[in-house]
């Protein structure tokens, strides 16, 4: 993954508020719903979420700034601090380069540190070289550090090279997934291609809402101590008919002029299947009918469906209707705005 500061387009001295603002701005711009024709939109959005998680966590951010972890949160291998005093020092005193005296360079009393990886993670060992051993102590450290490593961990004849996933737990993989409101209400299983190119089946539980995450244990990047996880941020796409308000679902219910005046049974869509609702005579626009238990599932129970009546005139003008309305206006006028 790229540098999280670069992904969020913020300075390394940016405050927590600056990082949050940058994330919100870019999330609106890069959300897959706003880039439906871009096949790379989900990957960029997942990268943005990963960068925000990296910098929003104060401990992770400090560790990254110190160079202890990389942009994916993996520990960096920092090599061997072979000089007891932290490196050559002017004047050939303690801690100086080769031949610099006790405690310096690779002399018989040099301090060596070795880094080993085992079931408990990294271990760091400091030892002094033997007086008659020359470089023997350093070779022993190399054997201790690299013994038993093969393949990517050590290449014969070329020194030792490391890949970040050879140390510690593997990295988490971040991805984004968008579902419809009915799918979020009933639950669904979706097949998702991760930024790594791997395909996984994701089970979306009933009642999930935008912004919630699903964790797939052990499905992330591999590491020597085990694979990381996959973190999938779920978004619920806006619906053409339904609007979610907590656990309640709202919709506008169009009815004809004669249905509103005379009453009728009309078909009302829900998140499951349509139901019939009785519209009583003389129903005005704006009247709301509550359908118990036909809303969105939640911990406190399923919400309700709130259907608000909207009287709709015919698409084309009608001379007979217009004549009737003119007669009605003249004979039986009324003012619905008198109390405003």
């Amino acid at each position: 993954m790229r540098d999280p500061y670069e992904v969020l387009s913020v300075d390394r001295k940016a405050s927590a508020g600056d990082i949050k603002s940058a994330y919100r701005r870019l999330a609106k711009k890069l959300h897959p719903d706003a880039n439906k024709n871009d096949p790379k939109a989900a990957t960029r959005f997942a990268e943005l979420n990963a960068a925000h998680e990296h910098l929003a966590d104060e401990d992770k951010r400090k560790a990254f700034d110190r160079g202890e972890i990389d942009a994916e949160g993996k520990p960096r291998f920092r090599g061997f601090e072979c000089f007891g005093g932290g490196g050559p020092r002017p004047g050939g005193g303690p801690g100086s380069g080769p031949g610099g005296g006790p405690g310096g360079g690779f002399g018989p009393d040099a301090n060596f540190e070795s880094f080993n990886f085992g079931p408990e993670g990294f271990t760091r060992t400091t030892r002094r070289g033997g007086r008659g051993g020359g470089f023997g102590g350093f070779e022993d450290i190399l054997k201790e550090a690299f013994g038993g490593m093969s393949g990517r961990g050590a290449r014969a004849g070329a020194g030792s090279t490391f890949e970040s996933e050879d140390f510690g737990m593997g990295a988490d993989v971040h991805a984004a997934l968008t579902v419809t409101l009915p799918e979020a209400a009933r639950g669904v299983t979706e097949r998702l291609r991760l930024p790594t190119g791997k395909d996984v089946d994701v089970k979306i539980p009933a009642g999930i809402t935008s912004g919630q995450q699903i964790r797939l244990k052990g499905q992330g990047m591999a590491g020597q101590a085990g694979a990381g996880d996959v973190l999938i941020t779920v978004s619920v796409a806006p619906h053409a008919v339904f609007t979610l308000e907590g656990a309640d679902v709202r919709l506008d219910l169009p009815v004809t002029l004669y249905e509103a005046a005379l009453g009728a049974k009309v078909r009302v869509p829900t998140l499951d299947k349509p139901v019939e609702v009785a519209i009583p005579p003389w129903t005005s626009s704006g009247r709301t009918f509550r359908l118990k238990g036909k809303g969105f599932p939640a911990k406190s129970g399923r919400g309700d469906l709130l259907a608000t009546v909207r009287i709709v005139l015919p698409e084309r003008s009608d001379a007979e209707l217009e004549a009737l309305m003119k007669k009605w206006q003249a004979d039986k006028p009324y003012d619905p705005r008198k109390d405003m």
Side-chain angles (χ1 to χ4, degrees):
M1 191 183 84
R2 291 185 296 149
D3 186 311
Y5 290 102
E6 180 183 340
V7 174
L8 287 166
S9 298
V10 296
D11 187 79
R12 288 184 174 272
K13 297 180 180 179
S15 66
D18 294 335
I19 290 171
K20 187 175 183 180
S21 297
Y23 171 72
R24 286 181 174 177
R25 173 176 52 80
L26 289 172
K28 292 180 181 179
K29 179 182 177 181
L30 300 179
H31 196 285
D33 288 346
N35 301 275
K36 293 182 178 179
N37 296 324
D38 186 351
K40 296 183 180 180
T43 301
R44 283 199 296 268
F45 190 66
E47 183 183 47
L48 176 67
N49 281 322
H52 176 251
E53 181 178 318
H54 212 76
L55 298 185
D57 186 310
E58 186 177 352
D59 292 335
K60 280 186 179 180
R61 182 180 179 183
K62 288 180 179 178
F64 176 76
D65 290 344
R66 292 193 298 264
E68 296 172 0
I69 59 175
D70 63 15
E72 294 182 355
K74 299 178 185 177
R76 295 182 187 273
F77 184 75
R78 304 186 70 174
F80 296 91
E81 297 176 9
C82 296
F83 298 94
R89 296 178 186 172
S96 65
F106 293 106
D109 292 326
N111 290 333
F112 297 102
E113 290 183 338
S114 63
F115 295 82
N116 296 291
F117 183 85
E120 298 180 357
F122 282 106
T123 58
R124 176 178 173 178
T125 304
T126 302
R127 65 168 67 177
R128 298 179 68 85
R131 288 198 172 271
F135 287 96
F138 186 67
E139 291 172 356
D140 290 341
I141 293 172
L142 288 178
K143 289 179 182 178
E144 180 181 319
F146 301 127
M149 290 190 70
S150 60
R152 291 177 302 178
R155 295 185 301 182
S160 298
T161 61
F162 301 91
E163 293 189 7
S164 57
E165 62 186 46
D166 284 335
F167 298 92
M169 289 296 295
D172 291 340
V173 174
H174 295 260
L177 178 63
T178 300
V179 296
T180 66
L181 184 59
E183 287 173 340
R186 67 174 181 267
V188 68
T189 298
E190 293 280 357
R191 193 159 187 79
L192 175 66
R193 172 153 292 187
L194 301 176
T196 60
K198 180 181 178 181
D199 290 332
V200 294
D201 288 324
V202 184
K203 186 175 181 181
I204 307 296
I208 197 165
T209 56
S210 280
Q212 287 187 309
Q213 284 190 328
I214 295 174
R215 183 184 292 270
L216 303 182
K217 289 281 189 181
Q219 296 287 328
M221 297 291 288
Q224 199 171 58
D229 301 335
V230 172
L231 297 173
I232 301 168
T233 302
V234 178
S235 297
V236 179
H239 197 275
V241 174
F242 304 115
T243 301
L244 193 60
E245 291 185 359
D248 291 335
V249 176
R250 285 190 174 274
L251 66 84
D252 286 341
L253 180 62
V255 300
T256 65
L257 183 59
Y258 49 84
E259 286 172 335
L262 304 176
K265 286 187 176 181
V266 299
R267 182 174 176 271
V268 179
T270 73
L271 293 175
D272 298 318
K273 56 184 179 180
V275 297
E276 276 197 345
V277 173
I279 304 296
W282 295 103
T283 293
S284 297
S285 264
R287 182 172 178 179
T288 299
F289 294 89
R290 182 182 293 271
L291 282 64
K292 289 283 188 181
K294 293 297 182 180
F296 198 76
K299 290 182 180 179
S300 57
R302 200 172 184 107
D304 302 331
L305 179 70
L306 305 174
T308 300
V309 170
R310 303 296 180 202
I311 298 174
V312 180
L313 295 175
E315 291 182 4
R316 297 180 180 178
S317 61
D318 183 271
E320 187 176 352
L321 179 59
E322 289 177 5
L324 176 60
M325 291 298 100
K326 287 178 181 178
K327 185 175 185 305
W328 189 283
Q329 183 182 27
D331 296 344
K332 299 179 179 179
Y334 69 99
D335 183 3
R337 298 177 296 277
K338 63 183 179 181
D339 294 328
M340 293 180 69

